[in-house]
Amino acid sequence: MEAILQAIKAFFDWLISLNNYVVMPVIIFLFAWLWFKAKIGDAFRAALRIAIGYVGLSMIIGFLINNLGPATNDLVKNLGLNLTTVDVGLSTSLLISFGTRVALTYIPVCIVVNLIMLAFKWTKTINIDIWNFWHFAFIGGLVFTVTQNYWYGTIAVAISAALLLVFADVTQPLVEGFFNIPGISIPHGTTAPLFFLAWPFVWLVDRIPGLKNVEITPESIQKRFGAFGEPPGLGLIVGVLLGALAGWPVAKVLPLGVVMAGVFFLLTRIVAILVEGLMPVAEAAKVYLKERYKGRQIFIGLDSALLIGSPAVMSVALIMIPITLGLAVILPGNKFLVSVDLVFFPFAFPFIVAMCRGNILKSVIVGVCVMVITLYLATWIAPVFTQGALATGMPPLPAGLLGSNMFDGGFPLPSIFTFLAGLLPH
Amino acid sequence: MPSKKVAIICGCGVATSTVVRMKLDQLFKTNKLDVTISTGSAPEAATITHGADLIIAITPMPRDFGIPVINGVPFISGVGEEETAQKIVLALSQG
């Protein structure tokens, strides 16, 4: 028995020592083929997709850093602002999620946690949003970065998964009441925790007299933003803006705009490749979970992407983009200059908008409060984030710059876990 | 029968639309339907749905485009997936 365990451990140690591009695909292949009984051809194809997605992430981040790095340096020099933390985007969160040994087991860990929570009736949610388990692996990856301990990292994965199930249950009435989707809950690592972070601000804003009388309609907002509300147009504007702030000539500013437009857009396409690669495992896990709870009174836990098309959510996200850019520049002590994260902004606002009952103005005020906290957290977590990212495939940044992001680097749970991990003996 | 066009509208054009697109690909192949699929996020809806015969919505639509819409959430939740698939095949097989 000892010998078998030693052999398994040796196999995993060898696996981990391989380049990151190889580890996750091998794991996914083995899971898909052995546990979920996929055909070997399908398992292989899916595993290769994961590898390609990983390669794509590294490429995009490298390209982003090569272009945004110099612009950031020049912006800092030109404006005398201390914005030395580069927004390396959600792509880098994915690198950290899939790149440590915590990633080897995070999917089964989350599933087991869910089954235990359901058995003890601590939750009514069955989280079949396997893709978004990456949020939990991200927290685990950060904890691993600090402690270099697989068990601490995995415990962090388990606790985050459990917490999000509870968050999903708590926010389910909003999903049903405001978004009119019954039987569904949202255990999404970016969207759900913001319910709690925003709650005190919603409480305050509700007490400001006269706000309900201000009418801003979603339709007018979306029309005004037009093509610039979509990732490519948004990237173009952000790139041009950053180049201009860096004091660059037009001949350099426009290419930066195009680069950012490309990065914003291609990032979503690359993530789609990863999702494709995960699908066999995800679909099989869904079937497995739902079989066990057929007919029970449960909520199906899904991606918050189902909510963000709502015109109110989209409008608030659009308005918050220039506001958050402005906040990043003027907030004292903030070093994080948001850019690529803007693509995924809508994911932050569904529950804020729901708590404000669709009132755009209130949602924006609450959004500002939340974004201020997020910017400072992203600044705070940058050293650990950068260390974790470098260890999992992010190309190095120019000297003097750190990397971080909002989703999920600037969020409460990752920050709390990272802080606690720092207190552990290691 | 001329080729049909289906537009999938999701929240951000990433995870959920990928899953739905792959399932629809399989559905159309099995039913031997000649359909092109385009996917996009809600802000891109106006461009993506241009000329589409059917819209599969996984997220609230920004507005009415005068094109029939079928709710695609069953492909994500697994609840009612069969019925939705049949509805889609039926809608695309007519004229």
Side-chain angles (χ1 to χ4, degrees), chain A residues 128 131 184 222 229-231 268 271-272 275-276 279 283 286 290 300 302-303 305-311 314 344 347, chain B residues 10-16 18-19 21-23 39 41-44 47 58-62 73 75-79:
Chain A
I128 59 169
W131 164 250
I184 305 284
Q222 288 194 274
E230 301 171 31
T268 60
V271 174
V275 172
E276 260 186 61
M279 260 188 80
E283 290 301 303
K286 271 189 212 181
K290 292 178 68 189
I300 300 181
L302 298 178
D303 195 333
L306 266 58
L307 308 179
I308 62 189
S310 139
M314 273 297 164
F344 293 103
F347 282 94
Chain B
C10 119
C12 69
V14 177
T16 44
T18 303
V19 171
R21 203 193 74 237
M22 299 208 69
K23 293 197 173 185
T39 54
S41 55
E44 306 169 309
T47 17
I58 323 172
T59 198
M61 292 286 291
V73 175
F75 290 111
I76 310 286
S77 67
V79 177

Side-chain angles (χ1 to χ4, degrees), chain A residues 21 81 137 140 174 177 196 216 224 237 315 335 362 419:
Chain A
Y21 297 153
L81 294 169
L174 281 179
F196 297 93
I216 309 177
R224 211 167 283 210
I237 299 225
S315 312
K335 297 193 193 146
K362 282 192 184 178
F419 175 73

Side-chain angles (χ1 to χ4, degrees), chain B:
Chain B
M1 210 173 52
S3 161
K4 299 280 180 135
K5 184 176 168 205
V6 162
I8 303 176
I9 301 299
C10 119
C12 69
V14 177
T16 44
S17 58
T18 303
V19 171
V20 174
R21 203 193 74 237
M22 299 208 69
K23 293 197 173 185
L24 286 184
D25 266 338
Q26 190 57 45
L27 183 71
F28 298 148
K29 210 159 51 168
T30 316
N31 286 276
K32 299 199 182 8
L33 290 172
D34 181 14
V35 186
T36 40
I37 305 177
S38 50
T39 54
S41 55
E44 306 169 309
T47 17
I48 301 286
T49 56
H50 188 66
D53 297 288
L54 183 64
I55 298 175
I56 311 293
I58 323 172
T59 198
M61 292 286 291
R63 56 183 171 87
D64 185 12
F65 291 98
I67 303 170
V69 178
I70 292 182
N71 182 7
V73 175
F75 290 111
I76 310 286
S77 67
V79 177
E81 201 173 321
E82 266 304 308
E83 294 89 343
T84 309
Q86 280 167 14
K87 251 202 300 199
I88 293 173
V89 171
L90 200 60
L92 290 170
S93 310
Q94 295 167 337

Side-chain angles (χ1 to χ4, degrees), chain A residues 245-412:
Chain A
L245 289 176
W248 283 3
V250 175
K252 275 180 82 179
V253 165
L254 289 179
L256 183 63
V258 176
V259 162
M260 293 302 278
V263 167
F264 277 36
F265 181 73
L266 292 171
L267 176 58
T268 60
R269 287 293 188 267
I270 290 171
V271 174
I273 294 175
L274 282 168
V275 172
E276 260 186 61
L278 199 63
M279 260 188 80
V281 171
E283 290 301 303
K286 271 189 212 181
V287 171
Y288 174 81
L289 281 169
K290 292 178 68 189
E291 280 301 304
R292 301 180 73 89
Y293 283 89
K294 240 208 277 262
R296 282 263 302 264
Q297 171 59 293
I298 50 157
F299 301 132
I300 300 181
L302 298 178
D303 195 333
S304 56
L306 266 58
L307 308 179
I308 62 189
S310 139
V313 175
M314 273 297 164
S315 312
V316 171
L318 285 175
I319 299 175
M320 286 302 299
I321 287 172
I323 293 180
T324 310
L325 278 166
L327 284 173
V329 171
I330 64 174
L331 281 177
N334 173 55
K335 297 193 193 146
F336 176 71
L337 182 57
V338 61
S339 56
V340 189
D341 276 324
L342 297 172
V343 177
F344 293 103
F345 247 41
F347 282 94
F349 297 102
F351 291 141
I352 294 178
V353 169
M355 282 195 281
C356 296
R357 290 163 302 283
N359 184 309
I360 307 278
L361 183 58
K362 282 192 184 178
S363 304
V364 169
I365 296 176
V366 173
V368 166
C369 303
V370 167
M371 281 301 151
V372 167
I373 295 179
T374 309
L375 288 169
Y376 281 124
L377 285 179
T379 301
W380 177 82
I381 209 171
V384 171
F385 187 97
T386 305
Q387 188 190 339
L390 287 170
T392 52
M394 179 180 83
L397 289 152
L401 298 179
L402 287 176
S404 188
N405 68 19
M406 280 193 165
F407 307 123
D408 291 336
F411 269 43

